[in-house]
Amino acid sequence: MPDTAITDLDALESRISADIAAAADLAALDAIRVSALGKKGEVSLKMRELGKMSPEERQTMGPALNGLRDRLNTALEARKASLEDDALNLALARETVDVTRPAAHRRPGKLHPVSQVMEELAVIFADMGFKVAEGPDVEDDFHNFTALNFPPDHPARDTHDTFFMEAADGDTPKVLRTHTSPVQIRTMMSEQPPIRIIAPGRVYRCDWDQTHTPMFHQVEGLVIDKETHMGHLKGCLEQFVAAFFETSDVEARFRPHHFPFTEPSAEMDVRYERVGDAVKVGSGDKWMEILGCGMVHPNVIEACGLDPEEYQGFAFGMGVDRLAMLKYGMSDLRPFFEPDTRWSAHYGFSPLLQANLATGLS
Ligand code: PHE
């Protein structure tokens, strides 16, 4: 008797397996699953009969039925995965883009003013011997604050309106970098002086009004050498302002300031006025702060493993977006980061005209 029962099971298995292999879509496959393994499915009903069998019968039929159920489940899963693959491939095939098709509109893209200004900054500072360095947007407390001489729990950490990330297990919370100054630390810890770098990139602070957005751009500058002094800093920045605004008429002023990582520190403002909706540099009675700077604090040099008795230097950090506003006359920062193609068509730059010092920056 068990022998015929086993033969029946073999027939059942081949029938259901053939059905599974032939299932045309996920709905058909699910119907097969229900009719075989569902509550009232053929296999389930047979399993229910186990209770009525003699112990000897149960000893052969139990494992046989379990094995059948497991093999059918495996076959169902495999067929399901392959049907899902087919569906995905079909969708992908339907959605292919013919990249050789000619453009429908003659509307070439424009370079964002921030990209343009970054390009211009790299060109100006490369001419003064600076190379470009980079660091991550997600920073740790050490590089963003501690090594930059922010004491623990110092209120200066709050004035940065820092976005703190949730801490991973056993780790201190990471931050979205509030300035590009952590690249100073990364550079001093990985390179030997003399150092001359600029570090462009995104920075983040929780702030939102006409001249502040939660993500904006800075360029950091760092020079570390044996005899660098404040005069070099001022000369370098004045040369930069003249080159960037492509005129010698720009008036810049230095104001004493405080940063934990520089001593002495200053902020530099540029004279400007509003003409209608636009912004014009060089005249007027308003000043826009464009950068912070100073001589690198000995504690910072020491935190990076260099000897402050031997090395010194200067650093500066400037707002790229503000520079773009001043140079190209926008009065509101917020549309920089809104997806309005009318704005980019108006303020954008031709991607084919690269900034260079020989033929003019812009
Ligand atoms: N990191 C400062 C800021 O974001 C700018 C700065 C950079 C000041 C380097 C001094 C030196 O405001």
Side-chain angles (χ1 to χ4, degrees), residues 121 124-125 128 236-244 291 318 323:
L121 292 171
I124 295 170
F125 282 103
M128 294 193 237
C236 171
L237 291 177
E238 278 169 355
Q239 189 175 330
F240 154 71
V241 168
F244 179 73
L291 64 82
M318 49 189 143
L323 286 172

Side-chain angles (χ1 to χ4, degrees), residues 130-156:
F130 288 73
K131 68 174 188 179
V132 173
E134 283 186 318
D137 289 16
V138 178
E139 261 300 0
D140 52 36
D141 183 272
F142 174 78
H143 290 91
N144 199 79
F145 292 122
T146 305
L148 286 162
N149 199 34
F150 285 80
D153 304 319
H154 192 276

Side-chain angles (χ1 to χ4, degrees), residues 160 178-181 184 205 218 220-221 259 261-262 292-294 315-317:
H160 273 206
T178 56
H179 50 178
T180 42
S181 301
Q184 290 187 33
R205 290 183 201 178
Q218 288 188 337
E220 193 79 8
F259 298 105
F261 37 93
T262 45
C293 60
F316 55 84

